[in-house]
Amino acid sequence: MSPDPVPAVVPAPRDLAADATPIGDAPGIEQARALGLTDAEYALVTEKLGREPVQVELAMFSLMWSEHCAYKHSKKLLVTLPTEGPAMVLGPGENAGAVDVGDGWTVAFKVESHNHPSAVEPFQGAATGVGGILRDIFALGARPIAVLDALRFGDVDATDENGDPTPGAVRSRFLLDGAVRGIGHYGNSIGVPNIGGDVYFEDPYETNCLVNAMALGLLRRERLTLSAATGVGNVVVLFGASTGADGIGGASVLASAELGDDDADKRPTVQVGDPFEESKLVECTLELLERELLVSVQDLGAAGLTSSASEMASKGEVGLDLDVALVPRRQSGLEPFEVMVSESQERMLCIVTPERLDEVIAITDKWDVHGTAIGVVTDTRRFRVFDGDDLVGDMPVPALVDDCPLYDIFPEKPAGGPASIYPAPQARLARDASSTDALLALLSSANIADRRPLFEQYDPVVQSRTVKRPGEAAAAVLQVPGPAGRRAVVGGLAGPTDVAAESDPDRAIPGVGVSIDGSGRRVAADPYAGTLWNVLECASNLACVGAEPLGLTNNLNFGNPEKPHIAWQLTESVRGLGDGCRAVGAPVVGGNVSLYNEGTTGPIFPTPVVGIVGKVPDVRRAVGTGFVRDGDVVARVGAFVPQLGLSEIARLEGRDLPDGLPDWNVDRIVEGIVAVREAVRAGSLSSATDIAEGGLLVALAEAAIAGGRGARVTVEPADGDDPERTALFGEAPGGFVVTGSRDALAALAESVPVAILGEVGGDRLTVDAAGETIDVSLGDLADAHGALARHFG
Amino acid sequence: MKVGVLQFPGTCDEVDALLAAERAVGAGNAELLWHRDRDLKGVDAIVVPGGFSYGDYLRAGAIAALSPAMESVAAFARDGGPVLGICNGFQVLCEAGLLPGTMLMNPSRRFNFRQVELEVVVADTAWTRAARPGQRLSIPAKHQTGRWYAPDALLQEVRANDQVVFTYAQDDRPNGSTANVAGVTNAGRNVVGLMPHPEHATDPLTGSADGLVLFRSPLEAAGVA
């Protein structure tokens, strides 16, 4: 606390003549176009204002009416997603969603993308992506307790005719390295564990990589804080970092150069993150909320003050008077519009009653994130921007926030199928390769190889909740609330822990399982079925640790929706997402849409990334991926109908994407997911993993490597054109490899298809498959699986 | 016995250190000490926890070493009070001159997390009294600037005085530290610092309970255990 606090000045609402208009000239329609507004949208803005917008207003409208803020091409689709469920506490529309995990504890979570900044500057792009999603979490009053990430890069193994890495592969390695360092830098420094994620390497991401970050937060339900600005006369307080020109023209459509600023093109458009500032911001925000000093709070993200203040005003159905002259700057010479749109990181905006203002400022001083009163809540429902005494912007809040036109998109399936959009990948496996060679090639391929070289750059254990670390189980497992108990969610960490309860060894330890999944390849082949598959895969991963879905967050990464084939991908994908959510019982708590992901080589694979949080009644029962006991029976479980058309082995063979995926019996698949989950919860399985890229043989090999134990199994041919290969390498949703006692698997077989394959034991994986025997030592399997390390020198 | 855990802006592992201390000395017997306060609230032992105090700006631990609370910790240490520095806390204690050596960046120049095997070298310090020499502890290490370094003369002195408390037990030298040192003590043997995180090894459910032995050691010193 400051030893000698000076009372803060409470800003007063300005008394203006009814016909007062902002000073300055209207930049006009040419600049509006340059900022991304269409002529019709500009005309609508002019109509709403009753005059042409001046510079501040044009900058603010162009942002609030951008795709990023207004979801104008996706909102009509998103409303079709299910958002109701028994655990739902907070659905879409706030900073993040939240679900009830029992005993008054709530988990807030959300995934968000930071794709374009990461493609330009991967370290800061990825770092600020983590910083941004964490602010969304603690803006709700939740302590951030975990980060996961979904990363997509170009092919890091592509070679030219001399066997050297292609320029694209070199670029992709650079982006991978920078993004991983950036994620680690931010999350490690702020003390939030990174507990999982996924990464794929595919050509269509080469010039437009994807960096999606998901965060979870923990709070007592009564602490849930919304962002609506209320209470006429209440004060708007900005705290955290000072405001600079960074990020102008970053996530937004605003390009400063086109507003005529000579120096603007030299400014970085990628924001620079400071996790130290954010770590103080977390504690400060949580302490302010714990002391019940705030009416509401909101983070500053894309579009900075413009977006956060106008959304707070809109939700509270009030007006705001803000004075940009009061905003603390880190550089001189900023224009009012620049202050309003700056995306400087690590800032929060809150609404405070005048009586509490001094206390709030004192707490922000304690944490060195000095708060400043910059405005006041009014009853005008207008967003008025002042620069000292000058009125520089005056807009109806509903016009800014709600009146952006929504657009229909015009889907059309591409006549030539997906192969007409996405060229076949480079072939690196002979089509007549032996199954042993195919297995080793798969294990060492970038999409399957061990992720340890990535996740060992992240801290998975800080905060003492992590029961299953990355790589140990199909999904991450956290004990929640964990032994820090109520203390854990309080700013500054005052309050009691739950250590005393640990003296009871028989008590159940509740928690959550979390996974994030989203292969784009399968969605490119079939947007509906591929997206459904992603949801089923995520739920399958959760089942392996005994987690039942409570809610789902999604990040829809797509190309330009104004193109008919992208519109088709998006429309079909959202339909698959909705059906997937309903099938596994995971309502959507919120998410993000990232469109226009097209590089110089065409659109990315359509990539709907889904993250599910599930309830684990007793984390002590969660099992890992690896074999644990010699003599355990190995079984394939679930309604699993593998096919080779869309498989990792087909990719290695350089085959085209298939046009469409088979129909699956989704009800039967979900029955399998439920059966595995219940078996894990009952404590009857030794290990469980889902069958994913590479099919059954890769799943067996990974379980052997993880457990440090071999197995001897027999695999019967599957149905289809190439029965042996389909059984070994075919892919589909709904399949698991589990181990346990013969009795446990017999019990499981009563509710779901179970194929007994063999037994755990020895130090080799030996597979008899219709006349061919695959027999590889654990050491050789692990060597192949360790291939990714070469990209992190 | 009461344990105080220092909290700087940017400290990350303070709640984990609190839990570890409470598990060793009993619930409610550990509390946070704020970096601006010189008052150590009468605690009997002090943990300087991990994290990124002051954002690791200037040098890891350099700014924290100059904080008001550290002035009191230095006096507490001079009087023989038990002080444990973990990771960033080890860096702080080195910067404050309470422990020998300094920390360099890992050879990979990357943050690295891994479960390491530690060997207890000496058991006559305030924080290893409950262990035995040669005991192996499975404990996570996580840092980018954790390569303990001492020039030859200092290393000889440290060795001559039996001030190496922990070494990395495996062959592959996780961070390239001088003589594979993972932790050291001062001449008075009441101040100990180490790079790996014993507070993250106090519950088998989250990986290991091997680190508890450090937090129990001050109890033995006090004759409580």
Side-chain angles (χ1 to χ4, degrees):
Chain A
M1 250 23 71
S2 333
D4 212 8
V6 180
V9 177
V10 179
R14 313 295 176 103
D15 214 6
L16 292 179
D19 59 350
T21 53
I23 61 166
D25 297 329
I29 194 164
E30 289 296 328
Q31 287 220 352
R33 286 178 188 146
L35 293 174
L37 290 175
T38 66
D39 288 8
E41 287 167 348
Y42 185 74
L44 189 57
V45 170
T46 303
E47 182 195 320
K48 296 282 176 193
L49 293 179
R51 56 182 167 74
E52 287 194 78
V54 298
Q55 192 177 46
V56 165
E57 295 165 342
L58 181 61
M60 291 174 65
F61 268 103
S62 72
L63 286 166
M64 292 305 293
W65 286 23
S66 71
E67 184 65 44
H68 195 95
C69 293
Y71 293 87
K72 55 193 175 185
H73 287 97
S74 59
K75 208 175 228 173
K76 289 186 174 186
L77 292 173
L78 298 178
V79 297
T80 65
L81 295 172
T83 57
E84 301 284 326
M88 187 68 88
V89 171
L90 186 63
E94 281 288 340
N95 286 306
V99 293
D100 179 12
V101 296
D103 293 331
W105 291 102
T106 299
V107 168
F109 64 103
K110 190 187 183 187
V111 60
E112 222 170 54
S113 60
H114 227 213
N115 300 336
H116 284 170
S118 301
V120 175
E121 209 293 86
F123 181 92
Q124 289 296 346
T128 54
V130 173
I133 192 66
L134 291 176
R135 281 194 298 283
D136 281 330
I137 296 300
F138 66 78
L140 285 178
R143 172 168 294 278
I145 59 168
V147 171
L148 303 89
D149 44 81
L151 308 177
R152 307 288 181 268
F153 302 98
D155 186 348
V156 284
D157 291 327
T159 50
D160 61 18
E161 59 275 14
N162 300 321
D164 296 323
T166 62
V170 172
R171 174 198 183 88
S172 295
R173 292 176 191 183
F174 165 77
L175 293 172
L176 166 69
D177 181 50
V180 169
R181 282 177 188 266
I183 290 166
H185 168 68
Y186 212 103
N188 298 338
S189 304
I190 200 172
V192 178
N194 187 310
I195 58 168
D198 70 349
V199 57
Y200 288 93
F201 302 91
E202 305 273 10
D203 295 325
Y205 302 116
E206 182 176 305
T207 52
N208 194 130
C209 65
L210 302 183
V211 173
N212 290 187
M214 173 176 171
L216 278 69
L218 178 65
L219 72 160
R220 298 292 303 167
R221 183 159 182 168
E222 62 271 17
R223 276 285 168 270
L224 185 67
T225 305
L226 302 183
S227 57
T230 55
V232 172
N234 283 344
V235 186
V236 183
V237 174
L238 179 66
F239 63 103
S242 52
T243 297
D246 51 325
I248 293 177
S252 70
V253 294
L254 185 69
S256 306
E258 285 148 358
L259 281 169
D261 189 326
D262 291 339
D263 294 321
D265 57 351
K266 296 174 190 151
R267 288 177 183 147
T269 55
V270 178
Q271 311 90 319
V272 175
D274 180 355
F276 173 56
E277 189 73 21
E278 183 132 316
S279 74
K280 297 182 295 180
L281 217 47
V282 173
E283 299 301 335
C284 180
T285 304
L286 295 181
E287 182 164 349
L288 288 167
L289 292 171
E290 183 65 22
R291 292 175 186 267
E292 303 186 346
L293 294 174
L294 304 184
V295 175
S296 59
V297 62
Q298 163 91 318
D299 69 304
L300 276 72
L305 260 180
T306 290
S307 164
S308 53
S310 57
E311 281 172 13
M312 290 180 94
S314 170
K315 289 189 174 123
E317 301 185 343
V318 295
L320 293 178
D321 284 359
L322 291 194
D323 184 352
V324 294
L326 298 174
V327 173
R329 322 278 178 96
R330 67 177 65 146
Q331 67 190 87
S332 59
L334 289 180
E335 295 290 327
F337 83 89
E338 292 178 300
V339 174
M340 288 308 298
V341 304
S342 163
E343 293 183 3
S344 292
Q345 298 289 291
E346 290 95 21
R347 298 180 298 162
M348 303 292 283
L349 197 64
C350 63
I351 306 294
V352 181
T353 61
E355 312 83 73
R356 296 291 206 179
L357 182 60
D358 285 337
E359 247 180 299
V360 168
I361 300 292
I363 300 288
T364 63
D365 287 345
K366 171 186 166 187
W367 291 104
D368 288 323
V369 290
H370 310 286
T372 310
I374 63 164
V376 63
V377 178
T378 69
D379 61 1
T380 60
R381 299 217 67 192
R382 298 186 75 84
F383 194 145
R384 299 194 300 187
V385 182
F386 294 86
D387 182 12
D389 291 332
D390 296 332
L391 180 68
V392 294
D394 183 0
M395 299 145 281
V397 171
L400 261 178
V401 178
D402 303 319
D403 290 348
C404 174
L406 299 184
Y407 297 110
D408 288 311
I409 55 176
F410 300 97
E412 198 177 306
K413 185 178 179 192
S420 67
I421 307 172
Y422 305 104
Q426 192 177 41
R428 18 198 102 113
L429 179 69
R431 296 188 180 189
D432 60 356
S434 72
S435 294
T436 301
D437 289 347
L439 170 62
L440 294 174
L442 283 163
L443 285 175
S444 65
S445 74
N447 282 345
I448 292 177
D450 190 359
R451 270 68 186 116
R452 181 176 300 273
L454 278 76
F455 62 65
E456 74 178 6
Q457 298 185 48
Y458 310 141
D459 177 352
V461 299
V462 65
Q463 298 192 25
S464 297
R465 287 191 191 83
T466 312
V467 174
K468 292 293 179 201
R469 298 176 188 174
E472 289 185 345
V477 180
L478 297 176
Q479 47 181 340
V480 168
R486 288 179 183 248
R487 178 162 208 146
V489 298
V490 177
L493 297 166
T497 68
D498 290 346
V499 164
E502 292 181 347
S503 55
D504 174 10
D506 295 326
R507 77 200 191 288
I509 301 175
V512 296
V514 198
S515 184
I516 185 166
D517 295 276
S519 160
R521 165 163 288 271
R522 57 179 73 140
V523 182
D526 188 331
Y528 170 81
T531 306
L532 179 60
W533 187 348
N534 284 345
V535 178
L536 292 170
E537 178 172 350
C538 198
S540 298
N541 284 326
L542 260 61
C544 292
V545 297
E548 178 177 12
L550 296 170
L552 175 147
T553 182
N554 64 88
N555 203 112
L556 304 176
N557 305 276
F558 286 77
N560 178 355
E562 297 165 55
K563 296 178 182 171
H565 62 279
I566 305 291
W568 173 75
Q569 290 176 340
L570 182 60
T571 308
E572 284 295 286
S573 176
V574 172
R575 191 168 69 84
L577 178 61
D579 283 354
C581 290
R582 282 181 282 270
V584 304
V588 173
V589 305
N592 184 49
V593 181
S594 173
L595 301 176
Y596 303 94
N597 287 293
E598 306 210 6
T600 52
T601 50
I604 59 164
F605 277 158
T607 312
V609 168
V610 299
I612 304 184
V613 173
K615 170 88 179 156
V616 180
D618 188 350
V619 295
R620 298 175 305 165
R621 296 272 172 89
V623 296
T625 303
F627 297 144
V628 294
R629 198 164 47 226
D630 287 357
D632 268 348
V633 174
V634 182
R636 190 191 63 223
V637 173
F640 179 63
V641 185
Q643 48 83 41
L644 287 169
L646 193 284
S647 65
E648 197 61 21
I649 196 170
R651 193 182 86 90
L652 290 188
E653 291 170 347
R655 295 180 195 269
D656 272 326
L657 284 171
D659 187 4
L661 292 169
D663 285 331
W664 309 295
N665 187 330
V666 174
D667 291 344
R668 298 283 289 136
I669 288 171
V670 172
E671 283 170 24
I673 291 172
V674 171
V676 169
R677 177 211 305 156
E678 293 308 315
V680 171
R681 286 181 165 194
S684 57
L685 297 182
S686 302
S687 74
T689 186
D690 71 319
I691 300 174
E693 278 77 13
L696 174 64
L697 196 49
V698 164
L700 289 167
E702 289 182 337
I705 296 166
R709 287 164 200 277
R712 176 155 204 129
V713 299
T714 302
V715 176
E716 300 295 336
D719 296 333
D721 293 339
D722 190 347
E724 287 78 22
R725 254 173 133 68
T726 301
L728 292 173
F729 300 113
E731 299 177 23
F736 297 87
V737 168
V738 307
T739 61
S741 69
R742 206 162 283 279
D743 288 349
L745 292 171
L748 194 58
E750 289 171 14
S751 54
V752 64
V754 172
I756 304 289
L757 304 177
E759 267 191 19
V760 175
D763 57 2
R764 305 183 72 81
L765 178 65
T766 309
V767 182
D768 293 315
E772 191 181 0
T773 299
I774 301 134
D775 180 44
V776 188
S777 72
L778 286 180
D780 288 346
L781 292 174
D783 284 349
H785 207 223
L788 263 189
R790 68 181 177 272
H791 298 309
F792 296 96
Chain B
M1 160 164 282
K2 288 206 78 130
V3 178
V5 176
L6 237 55
Q7 185 182 23
F8 304 101
T11 296
C12 298
D13 301 276
E14 71 275 30
V15 72
D16 311 279
L18 274 170
L19 290 171
E22 288 199 358
R23 282 170 174 154
V25 302
N29 288 328
E31 64 180 306
L32 290 175
L33 303 174
W34 184 239
H35 65 112
R36 281 188 198 143
D37 291 342
R38 287 186 171 78
D39 178 9
L40 299 181
K41 298 182 182 172
V43 298
D44 305 294
I46 289 172
V47 178
V48 189
F52 295 78
S53 58
Y54 297 92
D56 271 0
Y57 291 137
L58 187 57
R59 269 190 324 276
I63 301 176
L66 303 172
S67 64
M70 275 305 297
E71 285 179 26
S72 305
V73 170
F76 178 83
R78 278 193 299 274
D79 291 344
V83 179
L84 176 67
I86 302 168
C87 195
N88 193 232
F90 186 15
Q91 294 160 344
V92 172
L93 296 179
C94 289
E95 287 284 344
L98 294 173
L99 287 174
T102 192
M103 240 61 74
L104 304 178
M105 222 181 250
N106 298 347
S108 67
R109 304 181 70 77
R110 293 176 188 279
F111 182 96
N112 183 262
F113 172 89
R114 61 196 288 190
Q115 194 81 14
V116 297
E117 286 283 310
L118 282 191
E119 183 168 323
V120 178
V121 180
V122 292
D124 62 345
T125 77
W127 297 90
T128 51
R129 201 151 285 150
R132 53 183 165 73
Q135 188 174 348
R136 295 281 180 103
L137 309 175
S138 173
I139 287 180
K142 49 177 183 123
H143 53 253
Q144 183 165 4
T145 308
R147 179 182 172 193
W148 184 81
Y149 172 78
D152 283 344
L154 179 61
L155 181 64
Q156 280 173 26
E157 183 189 325
V158 165
R159 279 180 159 162
N161 296 331
D162 287 331
Q163 284 176 254
V164 174
V165 183
F166 302 102
T167 54
Y168 298 103
Q170 65 262 58
D171 300 329
D172 57 346
R173 303 187 55 183
N175 63 11
S177 64
T178 301
N180 231 5
V181 167
V184 296
T185 187
N186 63 340
R189 310 191 88 69
N190 58 317
V191 181
V192 169
L194 76 168
M195 283 313 296
H197 287 258
E199 82 281 22
H200 286 294
T202 59
D203 183 0
L205 184 67
T206 52
S208 156
D210 289 358
L212 265 182
V213 71
L214 276 82
F215 298 93
R216 287 192 181 127
S217 288
L219 283 177
E220 293 208 352
V224 183

